[in-house]
Amino acid sequence: EVQLVESGGGLVQPGGSLRLSCAASGFTFSSFWMSWVRQAPGKGLEWVANINEDGSETNYVDSVKGRFTISRDNAKNSLYLQTNSLRAEDTAVYYCASGGWLDFWGQGTLVTVSS
Amino acid sequence: DIQMTQSPSSLSASVGDRVTITCRASQGIRNDLGWYQQKPGQAPKRLIYVASILQSGVPSRFSGSGSGTEFTLTISSLQPEDFATYYCLQHNSHPYTFGQGTKLEIK
């Protein structure tokens, strides 16, 4: 059974940083693209970033380019999102999703950017 | 960026009704589209991939169709557990983009 468990969210001040993690199990992690998707409170879904199987290719939505970095450690079956220079508008639940077509999703971790 | 226009934004229906939700892409995306269901407080769950293939374990009352720029999700006979918000997602080109969502409510 595919399992994706996000962690690392919390309350952070504007301009601060957080590193989100996603622990994967139940599938061959190193064989799949992985994504991060976020959802602001009461709003719709927004794709944030993805990374290919070996980490050599990454893509981002414009609003996070230069501030967020997606990475992975295939030896640890883990996906990461380093979030820097956080803004109030980055407040959201952040989900990791497996596969190039976002097959399965974790339950999410809440990031709140507020002073 | 490819814009996904989803309609309607909300829909009121009764158990047993047939409902259809539409997504239109601002440019052709072949069949690179998925449909997701999200219930309050839960993560999205994929129902359909490559526009028309039913995800394993998803009831057959859900179906998807379309290619190019116009896509539909149909629920043939609404069940109580189907009242949720539905999203389309295009994964044809980066950045991937979602429709705005359709909230399906009980009439």
Side-chain angles (χ1 to χ4, degrees), chain A residues 36-52:
Chain A
W36 287 98
V37 176
R38 67 184 178 182
Q39 186 170 37
K43 302 298 184 182
L45 300 169
E46 180 181 40
W47 176 86
V48 173
N50 67 4
I51 187 168
N52 72 340

Side-chain angles (χ1 to χ4, degrees), chain B residues 18-87:
Chain B
R18 178 184 180 92
V19 299
T20 298
I21 299 168
T22 298
C23 263
R24 289 187 174 86
S26 59
Q27 62 191 71
I29 59 169
R30 303 182 304 185
N31 62 350
D32 297 332
L33 183 118
W35 288 99
Y36 296 80
Q37 176 193 67
Q38 187 179 32
K39 296 180 180 179
Q42 296 186 18
K45 169 189 167 184
R46 193 174 67 175
L47 303 174
I48 301 282
Y49 61 101
V50 290
S52 61
I53 300 179
L54 195 66
Q55 181 80 23
S56 175
V58 173
S60 59
R61 62 182 179 272
F62 291 93
S63 64
S65 65
S67 183
T69 61
E70 187 151 339
F71 302 86
T72 59
L73 172 70
T74 299
I75 310 172
S76 60
S77 178
L78 274 173
Q79 298 302 300
E81 60 268 29
D82 299 338
F83 291 93
T85 301
Y86 294 84
Y87 296 92

Side-chain angles (χ1 to χ4, degrees), chain A residues 33-38 46-52 55-72 79-84 94, chain B residues 1 93-97:
Chain A
W33 283 70
M34 295 293 294
S35 290
W36 287 98
V37 176
R38 67 184 178 182
E46 180 181 40
W47 176 86
V48 173
N50 67 4
I51 187 168
N52 72 340
S56 61
E57 180 180 345
T58 58
N59 300 280
Y60 299 89
V61 69
D62 280 352
S63 59
V64 308
K65 280 180 183 174
R67 300 189 300 123
F68 290 10
T69 302
I70 189 172
S71 62
R72 65 192 296 162
L79 176 72
Y80 305 102
L81 187 69
Q82 178 68 42
T83 65
N84 299 330
Y94 285 73
Chain B
D1 298 1
S93 65
H94 293 102
Y96 293 174
T97 44

